[in-house]
Amino acid sequence: MADTETQREAVLDAIENVADRIEAEKEYLTDLDSAIGDADHGANMSRGFRAVAEKTADADDGEVADLVKTVGVTLISEVGGASGPLYGGSIMSASAELSEGITAETSVAFAEAYLDKVQERGKAEIGAKTMVDALTPAVHTYKKSIEQDDLPPLTALAKAVDAAERGVRFTVPIKARKGRASYLDWRSVGHQDPGATSTLFIVEELLATAEEYLEGDVDVDAASPDVPEEEPTPEDD
Ligand code: ADP
Ligand code: MG
């Protein structure tokens, strides 16, 4: 990608876009959390990203990895709840993958490291009705689009948004098995997970920011399909 200064500018724009989006969706996230949690997800996330935006506003030198690390550290100290350490701690750890700057390759490494940390900390499998349900398909789609399908990062990110959206919808009919919502057991069925939803908003804002900086196709239908037309036949051993 571009020089360090442009990368830093892109990260700062991403932070601002995410902070604005979370602020705009604060009540919605709180409503989702009031149905199956304790009605604080919107407040937690908006407090966290407001602090991040303030803390990083005048970062005009330094490496992007350090800037991203600051995002994580600030979220840990400001967000609290289950989502603070999950978002903040995982961003903090994954920031090391950006030590050589942001490229298609390091962005995949960052995304994978972030997902790994979220799972290591939260111990939620896919289908437990958590942020992992939006994050896993998004990260896998992004990685596959870049490494196997050789798509431009912008197209890969657009496909990741699509995958995260499907992940969010998938949380609705399932029963929570992790986090506060799991206390409700079957009564959590029929409600959308707040953390999966905030994850989608963040990935959407990363795409919106990337559109300002990268060339590529954001029409995901124009990209190669994920699912083959024909049923695969099992290979003989
Ligand atoms: P709290 O549950 O402490 O009030 P928040 O309301 O800020 O924290 O965040 C709730 C979200 O955190 C849930 O919607 C879910 O997506 C996510 N979450 C909770 N526990 C876990 C976990 N063990 N692994 C992954 N995500 C989790
Ligand atoms: Mg909550």
Side-chain angles (χ1 to χ4, degrees):
M1 199 194 157
D3 55 87
T4 307
E5 200 175 322
T6 311
Q7 291 191 21
R8 194 185 316 116
E9 211 176 280
V11 173
L12 289 173
D13 277 353
I15 291 169
E16 204 179 308
N17 289 337
V18 170
D20 288 351
R21 179 71 185 278
I22 294 292
E23 201 57 41
E25 308 281 3
K26 185 175 162 180
E27 275 184 37
Y28 176 57
L29 292 173
T30 292
D31 287 349
L32 293 177
D33 197 31
S34 67
I36 53 171
D38 56 354
D40 64 353
H41 192 58
N44 286 344
M45 294 296 284
S46 102
R47 189 173 60 250
F49 278 98
R50 235 183 297 132
V52 168
E54 275 168 29
K55 188 124 196 166
T56 55
D58 20 74
D60 49 14
D61 60 3
E63 299 297 322
V64 283
D66 294 333
L67 184 55
V68 175
K69 188 173 180 183
T70 304
V71 174
V73 172
T74 310
L75 289 176
I76 295 173
S77 66
E78 296 288 334
V79 177
S83 56
L86 287 169
Y87 271 120
S90 307
I91 291 174
M92 190 187 79
S93 304
S95 67
E97 302 296 337
L98 302 177
S99 61
E100 303 290 313
I102 305 171
T103 62
E105 201 183 356
T106 64
S107 65
V108 170
F110 173 84
E112 276 193 297
Y114 175 72
L115 172 61
D116 281 353
K117 282 289 162 190
V118 168
Q119 288 206 282
E120 192 184 304
R121 274 161 214 273
K123 310 259 180 297
E125 297 295 330
I126 209 158
K129 199 181 184 98
T130 70
M131 55 176 72
V132 168
D133 295 335
L135 191 58
T136 307
V139 172
H140 288 181
T141 300
Y142 187 64
K143 181 181 163 74
K144 176 184 177 286
S145 298
I146 287 185
E147 292 182 355
Q148 286 177 38
D149 301 339
D150 212 12
L151 294 171
L154 198 57
T155 315
L157 199 46
K159 287 173 79 73
V161 166
D162 238 37
E165 259 170 22
R166 287 195 294 274
V168 167
R169 283 201 297 275
F170 165 69
T171 66
V172 177
I174 61 179
K175 190 172 86 173
R177 287 189 279 109
K178 282 282 177 204
R180 246 173 233 285
S182 65
Y183 309 157
L184 293 177
D185 197 53
W186 60 268
R187 280 169 296 150
S188 66
V189 168
H191 298 282
Q192 185 173 310
D193 181 63
T197 309
S198 57
T199 295
L200 168 65
F201 293 155
I202 292 169
V203 182
E204 281 181 342
E205 293 309 316
L206 294 182
L207 172 62
T209 313
E211 282 182 71
E212 307 275 319
Y213 288 85
L214 298 176
E215 301 276 321
D217 203 339
V218 289
D219 179 3
V220 290
D221 295 329
S224 67
D226 282 329
V227 183
E229 301 268 312
E230 287 171 32
E231 198 178 334
T233 43
E235 280 176 36
D236 294 328
D237 295 318

